[in-house]
Amino acid sequence: MGRAFKVVVLGGGTAAGYAASEFVKLGIHHGDLCIISEESVAPYERPALSKGYLLIEGAAWLPAFHTCVGTGEERHMTKWYKDNGIELVLGTRVKAADVRARTLLTAAGETISYKFLVIATGARVLKLEEFGVTGADAHNVCYLRDVQDAAHLVDQMAACRKVEGKAVVIGGGYIGMECAAALHGNHIPVTMVFPEHHCMARLFTPEIAAFYETYYGKKGVNFIKGNVMASFEQDEFGKVTTVVLKDGRKIAVDLVVVGIGIHPNVDLFEGQLAMEKGGIRVDGKMRSVSNHSVYAVGDVAAFPLKMYGDVRRLEHVDHARKSAAHAVQAIMSSNKVGDYDYLPYFYSRVFTLSWQFYGENVGECILFGDHSASKFGAFWVHKGQLVGAFLEGGSKAEYAALARAARQRPTVDDTRLLAMEGMGFAMAL
Ligand code: FAD
């Protein structure tokens, strides 16, 4: 015999925190909601881990960034869950799920049953071992997904500083870029290694990337592009001392930070729920298309992106928050809500720079603004319509205008004029 709840949220990350907040706003009864998390702390804003958490001075550590501070709301610590009658089961991994029986089995052997399950298990980092690299489990090889990883990275940065050591960042995505900025801020010389020809290759064009690479270069960050690491060399204590690249080059190193992507945590539900794009296929209510007592939100959800008539899985915090709230509204209203109508949004902050992106980056990219003044942007125009918008160094009003533009998808007759008008085009909509 185990415990039974009306709703169980599996996972205690960002989406779970926002789901809890929405359940309370909508008046869930005390005792109806349980959140089970492998992490030992209450839900928090994961993006803080590669930003405020890694600062050498004035770092933001927990409890500063528990959900829901990311949207300017109240910070919910364990007491808030207790006060609202939510069973927050921390430090507990669910090792098996049976969606027909509506039960979860924890690693401690407890069976927890539910009427509705919200899967918010997020993702795990891809490890170098999965690509056959040995030595990648050394203590000076760091990954960044949870607060334990972040604490370990902070320790390793301190150890690296002590020996005036150097770091290599493997991967040129936003985790790599944000970690490289943090390492530099910790006075650690950094080399970034990635296989693409420029950083942030999934989003940036070469021109946009050039701005950030030049900026980083001026700070002293080295880039080795179009190359991958092949192996590590270790000393007698197991510490990685050298990164060996595919072309045979060797880089002496004291600290390695790896950001090569993530894998959604859906393994528990393989063979039980319909899957698509590596995630759990849900409908516009965030409800599993194959089991109506199950909802999936955040990084694990493959959902209909209404405005593009397409199914997507997004690994972004804004979607984690909004999809969680939407699933909760569906559960609490017996699905009498409209369909989730999401505008893709992603942002990053590095050094004193900060950018936002809305929509999608397909079609022709039209650059505008002034690179030299760190105030520039880009529009993507596809089949005569503006479909994506990016801006570095924008104001609140400008970012709101970009979102509006990406949502409205106005017709663009003359891309040269669009380039000249730049933000003026979006502001006028
Ligand atoms: P998560 O927040 O990952 O939460 C998943 C939770 O489920 C975790 O608590 C995990 O322990 C738990 N769990 C998993 N399996 C089990 C199990 N079997 N049993 C019990 N518990 C389990 N996005 C942006 O848009 N902008 C950014 O600047 C940005 N920065 C980021 C920086 C970092 C360092 C990271 C790691 C991510 C960043 N993201 C950013 C992405 C964003 O944080 C994620 O998209 C978001 O956290 C997804 O929320 P989630 O709740 O789906 O998953």
Side-chain angles (χ1 to χ4, degrees):
M1 273 293 286
R3 289 179 283 176
F5 296 90
K6 179 177 174 196
V7 184
V8 171
V9 177
L10 172 55
T14 309
Y18 281 82
S21 176
E22 192 70 13
F23 273 122
V24 170
K25 280 180 203 157
L26 296 182
I28 194 160
H29 295 130
H30 281 218
D32 275 358
L33 175 61
C34 170
I35 297 175
I36 310 174
S37 178
E38 195 169 2
E39 294 187 76
S40 56
V41 291
Y44 55 88
E45 307 283 357
R46 202 163 299 281
L49 299 179
S50 53
K51 302 175 183 68
Y53 198 102
L54 302 181
L55 296 176
I56 192 168
E57 273 168 34
W61 289 357
L62 287 173
F65 55 90
H66 280 296
T67 54
C68 294
V69 290
T71 51
E73 292 168 67
E74 209 189 317
R75 180 177 58 169
H76 298 149
M77 295 191 279
T78 41
K79 185 175 180 305
W80 177 86
Y81 292 86
K82 198 160 185 244
D83 290 348
N84 285 288
I86 300 169
E87 191 69 34
L88 186 58
V89 182
L90 297 177
T92 300
R93 189 172 62 84
V94 166
K95 64 172 191 183
D98 182 339
V99 299
R100 281 188 168 202
R102 298 188 189 186
T103 57
L104 302 174
L105 177 65
T106 71
E110 187 186 6
T111 298
I112 295 183
S113 51
Y114 58 82
K115 185 166 177 216
F116 296 109
L117 174 66
V118 180
I119 303 172
T121 43
R124 62 170 175 78
V125 291
L126 290 177
K127 299 244 167 154
L128 288 171
E129 286 96 322
E130 298 173 52
F131 301 92
V133 176
T134 51
D137 56 351
H139 64 278
N140 64 331
V141 175
C142 298
Y143 294 84
L144 189 53
R145 182 70 200 182
D146 60 27
V147 72
Q148 275 178 314
D149 295 337
H152 181 64
L153 178 53
V154 166
D155 288 348
Q156 289 301 312
M157 287 196 296
C160 189
R161 273 198 309 274
K162 239 187 209 164
V163 295
E164 296 185 5
K166 299 190 196 91
V168 165
V169 171
I170 312 276
Y174 75 90
I175 294 283
M177 293 298 278
E178 291 185 6
C179 287
L183 287 159
H184 177 273
N186 276 266
H187 314 303
I188 298 170
V190 194
T191 298
M192 293 189 69
V193 178
F194 48 86
E196 298 87 3
H197 293 296
H198 61 78
C199 69
M200 295 288 299
R202 278 164 66 182
L203 175 60
F204 289 177
T205 63
E207 295 80 7
I208 299 175
F211 167 81
Y212 293 95
E213 289 178 11
T214 304
Y215 188 98
Y216 274 56
K218 283 186 188 154
K219 300 268 183 196
V221 175
N222 289 316
F223 287 90
I224 299 180
K225 302 184 269 185
N227 209 327
V228 289
M229 65 148 300
S231 60
F232 288 136
E233 287 175 5
Q234 292 170 274
D235 67 12
E236 69 268 36
F237 306 107
K239 178 182 166 183
V240 168
T241 53
T242 310
V243 175
V244 183
L245 302 182
K246 202 176 169 194
D247 65 5
R249 254 186 291 176
K250 291 186 173 189
I251 313 169
V253 76
D254 298 275
L255 173 58
V256 179
V257 182
V258 185
I260 54 171
I262 58 174
H263 181 81
N265 288 322
V266 294
D267 315 24
L268 287 174
F269 302 97
E270 294 282 2
Q272 298 196 64
L273 296 174
M275 300 280 168
E276 197 170 329
K277 304 210 161 145
I280 295 162
R281 175 68 159 93
V282 294
D283 62 15
K285 321 287 180 212
M286 307 311 292
R287 182 177 57 170
S288 160
V289 293
S290 57
N291 186 314
H292 283 181
S293 54
V294 176
Y295 292 71
V297 297
D299 286 4
V300 291
F303 66 97
L305 193 55
K306 201 172 168 184
M307 54 186 291
Y308 302 141
D310 194 7
V311 172
R312 302 275 172 98
R313 200 177 56 72
L314 297 179
E315 299 162 353
H316 302 158
V317 71
D318 179 61
H319 159 66
R321 293 167 179 152
K322 289 179 176 155
S323 60
H326 199 83
V328 172
Q329 288 156 18
I331 292 170
M332 295 296 276
S333 69
S334 305
N335 297 309
K336 287 187 191 71
V337 280
D339 286 339
Y340 186 51
D341 186 10
Y342 187 66
L343 169 69
Y345 160 58
F346 186 56
Y347 71 93
S348 182
R349 290 195 300 270
V350 284
F351 295 111
T352 55
L353 303 174
S354 157
W355 56 259
Q356 296 193 11
F357 170 78
Y358 296 88
E360 60 177 356
N361 57 333
V362 293
E364 190 185 353
C365 181
I366 312 295
L367 295 166
F368 62 84
D370 183 0
H371 272 221
S372 59
S374 301
K375 185 74 189 279
F376 70 97
F379 293 123
W380 279 262
V381 178
H382 185 53
K383 295 182 180 164
Q385 275 182 306
L386 187 155
V387 295
F390 168 91
L391 183 65
E392 165 61 45
S395 66
K396 216 173 164 186
E398 287 171 327
Y399 288 133
L402 281 200
R404 243 182 355 258
R407 169 67 78 178
Q408 280 180 24
R409 294 196 286 169
T411 302
V412 175
D413 299 317
D414 184 342
T415 51
R416 278 196 324 183
L417 192 61
L418 179 67
M420 282 187 322
E421 286 182 341
M423 268 317 294
F425 179 88
M427 296 297 272
L429 289 171

